[in-house]
Amino acid sequence: MPKSREVHLVQRPTGAPKPEDFALVQQAVPDAADGQVLVQNLLMSVDPAMRPRLTAGQALNEAMGGGALGRVVQSKHADFAVGELVNSRNGFREFFTSDGKGLSKLSPDPDLPLTVHMHALGGTGFTAYGGLLHIGQLKDGEQVFVSTAGGAVGSVAAQIAKIKGCYVVGSTGSDDKAAWLRDEVGLDAVINYKAQPIRKALEDATPKGIDVYFDNVGGEHLEAALRRMNTLGRIPVCGFISGYNSGHSNVGNLSNIIYSRVMLRGFVAPDFIHLYGDFQRDMAGWLKAGQVKYQETIREGIAAAPDALIGLMAGQNAGKMLVRLAE
Ligand SMILES: NC(=O)c1ccc[n+]([C@@H]2O[C@H](COP(=O)([O-])OP(=O)(O)OC[C@H]3O[C@@H](n4cnc5c(N)ncnc54)[C@H](OP(=O)(O)O)[C@@H]3O)[C@@H](O)[C@H]2O)c1
């Protein structure tokens, strides 16, 4: 019976989450009984969507949930063998037992690092792919703006748009991330929205307007983009992170969509699950060819998980924020 440490939410944050909102708790996890597996988590994902759940949805004094990649270490389940890798929603803990529901096996690509299955070749990459190509109906050579372009979803969306021959502007919140986007990724223009007002900077960076704005931020970013949208432009709304701590993110000029006939559509990745095979084939090829580059920020050990979430909301991650729980 292994001892497992897990992260509990012990009080609901007001504004940005703080260390005292969380507690690290040790639990004894039962060995696998008949029909069960015992899984040791190797990596867990840290996602902005966790912040709204801290306000409503995540129970207090229970292990938090989130995407995780683990290894089966005991099995009394006919479908799982010891040593197999499984994805689950049981992050924020070191071990768990399961009857197999909610587990999906992962056969990692032998030519790529395991971690890419947690971002570019996993959920955030798929979100970018379907959000841009299916929801955003991107056409080759269009004018594109992507916010949080230095993050997990945004960096992939921006690079897919480059692969499609588009003119791509990205916004991000640090000079280091801006330099990576400009020098390594080759975006056409990069805005550090903390160093220059987004509205004026976006106006200067988009002389031909915007056909597709891939919105991860809402608020002032969306307002700035709405002023620049071309006729029949599309705005796939992926996230609204500027409002996750406060619970609101105001946009004052939504009426701009009328005369420009702009399509504004929120989405979640299951909306285009039928594209998953195409995504895996395309993304694995782009990663191996170096056409999609990525950054990772990996914190070590379960005790670092609350700080990883706090840091994500403060923009401390370059690329995907992960926590490594075991080798
Ligand atoms: N619809 C879906 O199915 C789906 C799935 C996954 C993610 N999402 C959404 O996609 C967005 C990006 O997620 P991700 O996992 O790729 O995270 P990420 O971009 O890797 O990390 C979050 C980043 O957001 C930026 N940020 C934080 N507060 C901000 C603010 N007030 N204004 C502007 N930027 C801010 C920070 O970067 P800077 O340094 O640039 O400030 C931070 O690094 C989020 O809105 C998320 O909710 C949606």
Side-chain angles (χ1 to χ4, degrees):
M1 185 178 288
K3 294 256 177 13
S4 175
R5 290 174 299 167
E6 55 188 44
V7 176
H8 291 193
L9 179 69
V10 293
Q11 62 182 19
R12 302 210 178 277
T14 308
K18 302 174 292 302
E20 54 268 32
D21 299 329
F22 307 93
L24 192 63
V25 176
Q26 183 155 301
Q27 303 277 19
V29 175
D31 289 322
D34 282 347
Q36 289 187 327
V37 289
L38 176 69
V39 176
Q40 179 176 26
N41 277 333
L42 307 179
L43 290 161
M44 57 164 269
S45 177
V46 184
D47 297 286
M50 291 166 178
R51 174 61 192 88
R53 288 208 294 271
L54 303 182
T55 300
Q58 172 62 51
L60 294 177
N61 304 309
E62 280 183 12
M64 290 172 51
L69 176 62
R71 183 185 292 120
V72 175
V73 292
Q74 292 176 5
S75 181
K76 291 188 177 175
H77 191 299
D79 296 342
F80 297 93
V82 168
E84 284 185 319
L85 297 176
V86 287
N87 282 306
S88 77
R89 299 297 304 164
N90 296 332
F92 286 95
R93 70 202 79 183
E94 294 178 303
F95 290 88
F96 64 94
T97 47
S98 166
D99 62 5
K101 289 199 189 75
L103 299 186
S104 57
K105 292 189 197 185
L106 175 74
S107 301
D109 190 314
D111 300 323
L112 291 168
L114 185 61
T115 50
V116 299
H117 293 275
M118 299 291 287
H119 50 89
L121 198 51
T124 51
F126 184 50
T127 299
Y129 183 93
L132 191 65
L133 301 180
H134 182 70
I135 306 293
Q137 294 293 311
L138 185 77
K139 300 185 196 70
D140 290 0
E142 287 193 311
Q143 308 291 306
V144 176
F145 171 44
V146 179
S147 51
T148 73
V153 173
S155 61
V156 173
Q159 292 178 86
I160 293 173
K162 283 304 298 175
I163 289 167
K164 302 291 178 187
C166 298
Y167 173 89
V168 184
V169 179
S171 69
T172 187
S174 82
D175 286 342
D176 284 351
K177 286 189 246 187
W180 182 76
L181 289 167
R182 203 170 32 241
D183 303 338
E184 301 289 326
V185 169
L187 296 196
D188 298 287
V190 182
I191 297 165
N192 177 349
Y193 72 93
K194 290 183 180 166
Q196 33 183 175
I198 184 68
R199 178 171 161 168
K200 173 71 167 64
L202 190 61
E203 193 175 304
D204 293 344
T206 55
K208 296 182 180 171
I210 299 171
D211 299 308
V212 176
Y213 168 40
F214 191 100
D215 188 14
N216 286 316
V217 171
E220 285 181 14
H221 274 72
L222 180 52
E223 274 190 1
L226 282 166
R227 294 179 66 252
R228 303 296 301 154
M229 293 305 294
N230 293 332
T231 301
L232 296 176
R234 286 86 66 206
I235 305 180
V237 180
C238 179
F240 245 57
I241 196 166
S242 67
Y244 290 175
N245 279 329
S246 64
H248 56 82
S249 180
N250 297 334
V251 179
N253 58 348
L254 206 48
S255 59
N256 282 27
I257 66 174
I258 300 168
Y259 296 110
S260 302
R261 282 89 93 197
V262 168
M263 189 276 303
L264 182 89
R265 182 172 158 193
F267 67 90
V268 290
D271 296 347
F272 37 78
I273 196 68
H274 60 285
L275 296 178
Y276 201 70
D278 294 348
F279 157 72
Q280 285 192 309
R281 183 201 60 227
D282 289 347
M283 187 58 64
W286 292 333
L287 286 164
K288 288 174 193 176
Q291 285 177 284
V292 169
K293 300 180 171 66
Y294 60 86
Q295 292 186 297
E296 297 168 335
T297 302
I298 303 183
R299 302 280 169 87
E300 297 295 334
I302 187 71
D307 189 54
L309 180 53
I310 292 166
L312 179 85
M313 295 306 298
Q316 291 170 4
N317 58 308
K320 178 66 189 174
M321 181 69 97
L322 295 171
V323 180
R324 194 191 317 275
L325 302 177
E327 291 292 338

PDB file of all heavy atoms in Angstrom, residues 108-118 121 294 296:
ATOM      1  N   PRO A 108       3.664   6.015 -26.714  1.00  0.00           N
ATOM      2  CA  PRO A 108       4.416   7.213 -27.074  1.00  0.00           C
ATOM      3  C   PRO A 108       5.180   7.053 -28.374  1.00  0.00           C
ATOM      4  O   PRO A 108       5.606   5.948 -28.722  1.00  0.00           O
ATOM      5  CB  PRO A 108       5.377   7.410 -25.890  1.00  0.00           C
ATOM      6  CG  PRO A 108       5.398   6.125 -25.155  1.00  0.00           C
ATOM      7  CD  PRO A 108       4.162   5.360 -25.492  1.00  0.00           C
ATOM      8  N   ASP A 109       5.330   8.155 -29.080  1.00  0.00           N
ATOM      9  CA  ASP A 109       6.112   8.162 -30.312  1.00  0.00           C
ATOM     10  C   ASP A 109       7.586   7.987 -29.934  1.00  0.00           C
ATOM     11  O   ASP A 109       8.134   8.800 -29.187  1.00  0.00           O
ATOM     12  CB  ASP A 109       5.903   9.499 -31.034  1.00  0.00           C
ATOM     13  CG  ASP A 109       6.486   9.481 -32.436  1.00  0.00           C
ATOM     14  OD1 ASP A 109       7.638   9.007 -32.587  1.00  0.00           O
ATOM     15  OD2 ASP A 109       5.799   9.908 -33.366  1.00  0.00           O
ATOM     16  N   PRO A 110       8.238   6.928 -30.436  1.00  0.00           N
ATOM     17  CA  PRO A 110       9.620   6.662 -30.010  1.00  0.00           C
ATOM     18  C   PRO A 110      10.614   7.726 -30.468  1.00  0.00           C
ATOM     19  O   PRO A 110      11.718   7.812 -29.925  1.00  0.00           O
ATOM     20  CB  PRO A 110       9.935   5.300 -30.661  1.00  0.00           C
ATOM     21  CG  PRO A 110       8.963   5.171 -31.779  1.00  0.00           C
ATOM     22  CD  PRO A 110       7.735   5.932 -31.398  1.00  0.00           C
ATOM     23  N   ASP A 111      10.223   8.539 -31.437  1.00  0.00           N
ATOM     24  CA  ASP A 111      11.151   9.545 -31.972  1.00  0.00           C
ATOM     25  C   ASP A 111      10.949  10.924 -31.352  1.00  0.00           C
ATOM     26  O   ASP A 111      11.558  11.899 -31.816  1.00  0.00           O
ATOM     27  CB  ASP A 111      10.983   9.640 -33.498  1.00  0.00           C
ATOM     28  CG  ASP A 111      11.284   8.311 -34.168  1.00  0.00           C
ATOM     29  OD1 ASP A 111      12.213   7.620 -33.697  1.00  0.00           O
ATOM     30  OD2 ASP A 111      10.573   7.952 -35.122  1.00  0.00           O
ATOM     31  N   LEU A 112      10.092  11.015 -30.357  1.00  0.00           N
ATOM     32  CA  LEU A 112       9.833  12.311 -29.724  1.00  0.00           C
ATOM     33  C   LEU A 112       9.905  12.157 -28.206  1.00  0.00           C
ATOM     34  O   LEU A 112       9.617  11.079 -27.677  1.00  0.00           O
ATOM     35  CB  LEU A 112       8.440  12.827 -30.116  1.00  0.00           C
ATOM     36  CG  LEU A 112       8.265  13.247 -31.577  1.00  0.00           C
ATOM     37  CD1 LEU A 112       6.792  13.462 -31.902  1.00  0.00           C
ATOM     38  CD2 LEU A 112       9.067  14.514 -31.877  1.00  0.00           C
ATOM     39  N   PRO A 113      10.251  13.240 -27.489  1.00  0.00           N
ATOM     40  CA  PRO A 113      10.257  13.156 -26.023  1.00  0.00           C
ATOM     41  C   PRO A 113       8.857  12.873 -25.487  1.00  0.00           C
ATOM     42  O   PRO A 113       7.858  13.334 -26.072  1.00  0.00           O
ATOM     43  CB  PRO A 113      10.731  14.553 -25.585  1.00  0.00           C
ATOM     44  CG  PRO A 113      11.290  15.202 -26.795  1.00  0.00           C
ATOM     45  CD  PRO A 113      10.657  14.562 -27.986  1.00  0.00           C
ATOM     46  N   LEU A 114       8.805  12.131 -24.391  1.00  0.00           N
ATOM     47  CA  LEU A 114       7.504  11.779 -23.804  1.00  0.00           C
ATOM     48  C   LEU A 114       6.686  13.031 -23.477  1.00  0.00           C
ATOM     49  O   LEU A 114       5.458  13.050 -23.636  1.00  0.00           O
ATOM     50  CB  LEU A 114       7.750  10.957 -22.524  1.00  0.00           C
ATOM     51  CG  LEU A 114       6.515  10.394 -21.829  1.00  0.00           C
ATOM     52  CD1 LEU A 114       5.749   9.436 -22.733  1.00  0.00           C
ATOM     53  CD2 LEU A 114       6.920   9.692 -20.526  1.00  0.00           C
ATOM     54  N   THR A 115       7.360  14.079 -23.034  1.00  0.00           N
ATOM     55  CA  THR A 115       6.643  15.275 -22.570  1.00  0.00           C
ATOM     56  C   THR A 115       5.789  15.922 -23.671  1.00  0.00           C
ATOM     57  O   THR A 115       4.793  16.562 -23.344  1.00  0.00           O
ATOM     58  CB  THR A 115       7.625  16.328 -22.018  1.00  0.00           C
ATOM     59  OG1 THR A 115       8.671  16.513 -22.979  1.00  0.00           O
ATOM     60  CG2 THR A 115       8.198  15.908 -20.669  1.00  0.00           C
ATOM     61  N   VAL A 116       6.154  15.766 -24.937  1.00  0.00           N
ATOM     62  CA  VAL A 116       5.351  16.445 -25.980  1.00  0.00           C
ATOM     63  C   VAL A 116       3.925  15.896 -26.049  1.00  0.00           C
ATOM     64  O   VAL A 116       3.027  16.571 -26.543  1.00  0.00           O
ATOM     65  CB  VAL A 116       5.976  16.412 -27.408  1.00  0.00           C
ATOM     66  CG1 VAL A 116       7.320  17.101 -27.442  1.00  0.00           C
ATOM     67  CG2 VAL A 116       6.027  15.016 -27.969  1.00  0.00           C
ATOM     68  N   HIS A 117       3.738  14.662 -25.534  1.00  0.00           N
ATOM     69  CA  HIS A 117       2.375  14.113 -25.494  1.00  0.00           C
ATOM     70  C   HIS A 117       1.511  14.856 -24.485  1.00  0.00           C
ATOM     71  O   HIS A 117       0.289  14.689 -24.474  1.00  0.00           O
ATOM     72  CB  HIS A 117       2.418  12.617 -25.155  1.00  0.00           C
ATOM     73  CG  HIS A 117       3.046  11.792 -26.244  1.00  0.00           C
ATOM     74  ND1 HIS A 117       2.342  11.320 -27.318  1.00  0.00           N
ATOM     75  CD2 HIS A 117       4.329  11.393 -26.422  1.00  0.00           C
ATOM     76  CE1 HIS A 117       3.156  10.650 -28.122  1.00  0.00           C
ATOM     77  NE2 HIS A 117       4.370  10.679 -27.600  1.00  0.00           N
ATOM     78  N   MET A 118       2.156  15.671 -23.633  1.00  0.00           N
ATOM     79  CA  MET A 118       1.410  16.469 -22.641  1.00  0.00           C
ATOM     80  C   MET A 118       1.106  17.865 -23.170  1.00  0.00           C
ATOM     81  O   MET A 118       0.507  18.661 -22.469  1.00  0.00           O
ATOM     82  CB  MET A 118       2.220  16.596 -21.343  1.00  0.00           C
ATOM     83  CG  MET A 118       2.534  15.291 -20.639  1.00  0.00           C
ATOM     84  SD  MET A 118       1.084  14.517 -19.944  1.00  0.00           S
ATOM     85  CE  MET A 118       0.737  15.566 -18.534  1.00  0.00           C
ATOM     86  N   LEU A 121       1.725  17.570 -28.870  1.00  0.00           N
ATOM     87  CA  LEU A 121       1.127  16.369 -29.468  1.00  0.00           C
ATOM     88  C   LEU A 121      -0.026  15.832 -28.606  1.00  0.00           C
ATOM     89  O   LEU A 121      -0.468  14.705 -28.772  1.00  0.00           O
ATOM     90  CB  LEU A 121       2.222  15.301 -29.647  1.00  0.00           C
ATOM     91  CG  LEU A 121       1.968  14.143 -30.600  1.00  0.00           C
ATOM     92  CD1 LEU A 121       1.492  14.596 -31.971  1.00  0.00           C
ATOM     93  CD2 LEU A 121       3.223  13.275 -30.747  1.00  0.00           C
ATOM     94  N   TYR A 294       8.828  24.093 -29.524  1.00  0.00           N
ATOM     95  CA  TYR A 294       8.085  24.233 -28.272  1.00  0.00           C
ATOM     96  C   TYR A 294       9.032  24.549 -27.125  1.00  0.00           C
ATOM     97  O   TYR A 294      10.244  24.298 -27.202  1.00  0.00           O
ATOM     98  CB  TYR A 294       7.292  22.952 -27.963  1.00  0.00           C
ATOM     99  CG  TYR A 294       8.152  21.721 -27.816  1.00  0.00           C
ATOM    100  CD1 TYR A 294       8.747  21.390 -26.608  1.00  0.00           C
ATOM    101  CD2 TYR A 294       8.398  20.892 -28.910  1.00  0.00           C
ATOM    102  CE1 TYR A 294       9.553  20.269 -26.487  1.00  0.00           C
ATOM    103  CE2 TYR A 294       9.189  19.781 -28.802  1.00  0.00           C
ATOM    104  CZ  TYR A 294       9.767  19.470 -27.579  1.00  0.00           C
ATOM    105  OH  TYR A 294      10.574  18.374 -27.475  1.00  0.00           O
ATOM    106  N   GLU A 296       9.077  24.235 -22.658  1.00  0.00           N
ATOM    107  CA  GLU A 296       8.433  23.589 -21.517  1.00  0.00           C
ATOM    108  C   GLU A 296       8.990  24.222 -20.247  1.00  0.00           C
ATOM    109  O   GLU A 296      10.179  24.541 -20.190  1.00  0.00           O
ATOM    110  CB  GLU A 296       8.779  22.090 -21.472  1.00  0.00           C
ATOM    111  CG  GLU A 296       8.292  21.301 -22.671  1.00  0.00           C
ATOM    112  CD  GLU A 296       8.914  19.892 -22.711  1.00  0.00           C
ATOM    113  OE1 GLU A 296      10.022  19.688 -22.149  1.00  0.00           O
ATOM    114  OE2 GLU A 296       8.284  19.013 -23.309  1.00  0.00           O
TER     115      GLU A 296
END
